[in-house]
Amino acid sequence: MDFSLTDAQRALQQDLRAFAAREVAPTAAARDEDERFDPTIFRAIGAAGFAGLPFPGQYGGAGGDAVSSALATEELSRVCAATGIMLSTHVSLVAWPVFRFGTDEQKRAFLAPLASGEKLGAYGLSEPDSGGDDAGIQTTAVRRGDDYLLQGAKVFSINGGEADIYVVYAATDPTQRSRGMTAFILEKGMPGLRFGKTERKMGVRSAVAAELVFEDCVVPAANRLGAEGEGLKIALAALDGGRTGIAALAVGIAQGALEEALAHARGRTHFNRPLLDFQTTQFKLADMQTEIEAARLLTRRAAWLEARAAPYTRASAMAKVMASDVAMRVTTEAVQILGGYGYMRDRPVERMMRDAKITQIYGGTNEVQRMVIARHVLAE
Ligand SMILES: Cc1cc2nc3c(=O)[nH]c(=O)nc-3n(C[C@H](O)[C@H](O)[C@H](O)COP(=O)(O)OP(=O)(O)OC[C@H]3O[C@@H](n4cnc5c(N)ncnc54)[C@H](O)[C@@H]3O)c2cc1C
């Protein structure tokens, strides 16, 4: 297996790095401090052609694949995890299910504006009483002629309220649990769709996470994604790719934290020697970079398998668990290398340590991922 980047992927990586440094990094700390979502960043991502990297040109995408998408999430998250989670949610959990399961008409109506960056996407699966247990959702969708009427609420929806297009899961037959769930495409402004509480979060504070509320929300039957009862299958497929995105998010955060720690250790002196001269610091940095590269390889493997249409459920779960645990360890160690300065809010490692935590929770907790991996291991 060769996970080295092609020339085109390397060029894309350089473009993404320059874009992140120019358009995202300068305001990352202030947006986090103010807990402020900035829509101009998504517009800039769209204008640069990064909003639909893995989708074909005929639907507004850039004709890349899951590897390009992972590169984008990693490079943006290296300077701002909130921007990384905003984009990876938009691509993996909104645009991708429309691409994979939508009709041609749905792709033209919804995927094209998502992939071109004209419209931002969000998804709603988690509910107040169901997160890990996705099949236990309480939101219902009842067919009324040419429409469905949705009732219920979703929590923690990244991009919620700011997004134009929503992929939402509801029970069309609650007695069937996992086989009674159906996916729908909703648009902002549909009658009966409103936005409730916006969460105040520990990290990724300049990404918005909001409640979606459906009160007799009228959704045309033409907006049903897939068949009735296919919702869980669609959600699980989207979450497989979503986990590779979260792994890339974690690798980016960890790499950014390592670079901050390295710069600090180079400039800070003790006993007239730079901190970097001490072997304790060097060993910390060596372990950090080794773990990051191991996590990056697992992430690239999951993306590479997806790009080749090979099974990747096990690979993306492994990448997500490994990379998120690495991000937590590396950011904690980066704070340690900066000492008291690392604990202060005017240094980015403090933000990075808070941001890393979400990667162990979002898209299915690491405990749930370990259950998925164990199921595969036991079956082998
Ligand atoms: C910032 C943020 C953004 C999010 N964005 C979105 C979004 O855009 N759209 C969306 O739909 N959701 C979103 N989520 C929801 C997220 O995916 C869930 O929070 C996550 O899947 C965990 O579900 P939960 O919060 O209900 O926790 P629970 O499932 O209640 O888990 C609580 C604890 O129990 C453990 N646990 C759960 N089940 C088992 C089990 N079977 N065996 C052993 N242990 C178990 C978990 O590992 C965890 O430690 C977001 C969450 C956050 C925090």
Side-chain angles (χ1 to χ4, degrees):
M1 279 186 238
D2 179 7
F3 300 130
S4 53
L5 299 179
T6 63
D7 288 347
Q9 286 166 341
R10 239 189 307 275
L12 172 67
Q13 188 181 44
Q14 290 311 316
D15 288 350
L16 285 160
R17 196 163 292 177
F19 175 88
R22 192 179 62 244
E23 305 283 346
V24 184
T27 56
R31 283 183 285 109
D32 176 77
E33 192 64 30
D34 301 345
E35 303 191 42
R36 175 170 48 86
F37 176 85
D38 180 354
T40 65
I41 292 190
F42 180 69
R43 280 202 285 278
I45 287 173
F50 301 145
L53 283 171
F55 307 113
Q58 74 181 111
Y59 297 119
D65 60 17
V67 176
S68 350
S69 194
L71 286 176
T73 303
E74 180 183 336
E75 289 304 326
L76 295 174
S77 306
R78 207 170 125 255
V79 299
C80 176
T83 302
I85 202 170
M86 178 262 284
L87 182 65
S88 85
T89 301
H90 167 87
V91 170
S92 305
L93 293 150
V94 190
W96 187 86
V98 178
F99 171 60
R100 173 70 183 76
F101 297 99
T103 61
D104 194 53
E105 202 169 318
Q106 288 173 336
K107 288 180 203 178
R108 276 188 274 112
F110 304 113
L111 174 60
L114 287 167
S116 66
E118 189 192 321
K119 293 191 174 173
L120 177 64
Y123 87 105
L125 176 61
S126 302
E127 299 188 352
D129 295 320
S130 84
D133 177 19
D134 293 327
I137 60 170
Q138 306 288 313
T139 296
T140 55
V142 176
R143 182 87 188 232
R144 288 273 187 276
D146 289 340
D147 299 316
Y148 286 87
L149 279 192
L150 268 63
Q151 308 281 354
K154 300 288 174 180
V155 289
F156 307 158
S157 178
I158 288 283
N159 303 333
E162 298 290 340
D164 311 283
I165 294 174
Y166 296 79
V167 170
V168 165
Y169 299 87
T172 37
D173 184 353
T175 63
Q176 294 292 308
R177 277 183 58 88
S178 62
R179 277 177 288 131
M181 195 200 284
T182 303
F184 296 91
I185 305 168
L186 274 60
E187 288 181 275
K188 197 178 195 172
M190 274 181 167
L193 168 63
R194 71 174 174 84
F195 306 106
K197 184 183 177 202
T198 298
E199 300 294 341
R200 299 186 63 236
K201 307 184 292 314
M202 172 194 287
V204 290
R205 284 173 17 172
S206 64
V208 64
E211 184 187 17
L212 315 178
V213 183
F214 318 109
E215 290 160 336
D216 283 332
C217 177
V218 183
V219 181
N223 285 34
R224 194 185 64 217
L225 185 60
E228 276 198 13
E230 278 193 333
L232 190 65
K233 181 182 90 175
I234 294 172
L236 293 180
L239 282 165
D240 279 346
R243 283 171 195 133
T244 309
I246 297 165
L249 181 78
V251 171
I253 297 170
Q255 187 66 50
L258 173 103
E259 287 161 14
E260 292 293 334
L262 185 60
H264 179 83
R266 193 167 274 136
R268 176 106 173 135
T269 51
H270 280 289
F271 309 106
N272 293 322
R273 289 167 64 192
L275 206 50
L276 206 54
D277 268 10
F278 295 97
Q279 204 174 49
T280 42
T281 313
Q282 292 175 7
F283 280 11
K284 275 189 168 64
L285 291 166
D287 285 345
M288 288 157 79
Q289 190 66 70
T290 304
E291 288 206 274
I292 291 169
E293 288 187 22
R296 184 178 287 121
L297 278 175
L298 277 182
T299 306
R300 291 255 169 94
R301 180 182 70 151
W304 181 86
L305 288 168
E306 181 181 345
R308 274 150 193 77
Y312 59 96
T313 300
R314 174 182 180 275
S316 66
M318 284 180 170
K320 196 255 186 198
V321 166
M322 172 81 169
S324 58
D325 287 352
V326 164
M328 211 56 242
R329 279 198 295 276
V330 166
T331 54
T332 306
E333 204 66 301
V335 168
Q336 195 70 18
I337 290 174
L338 268 78
Y341 291 103
Y343 198 70
M344 302 305 162
R345 279 160 52 176
D346 49 6
R347 296 297 178 102
V349 289
E350 178 271 342
R351 166 168 51 91
M352 290 164 166
M353 186 174 161
R354 286 187 283 104
D355 288 348
K357 186 63 199 168
I358 189 56
T359 63
Q360 295 179 313
I361 298 170
Y362 170 68
T365 62
N366 279 8
E367 289 78 7
V368 171
Q369 299 318 304
R370 287 186 167 94
M371 286 160 49
V372 171
I373 297 164
R375 214 175 293 138
H376 282 267
V377 172
L378 299 183
E380 281 162 8

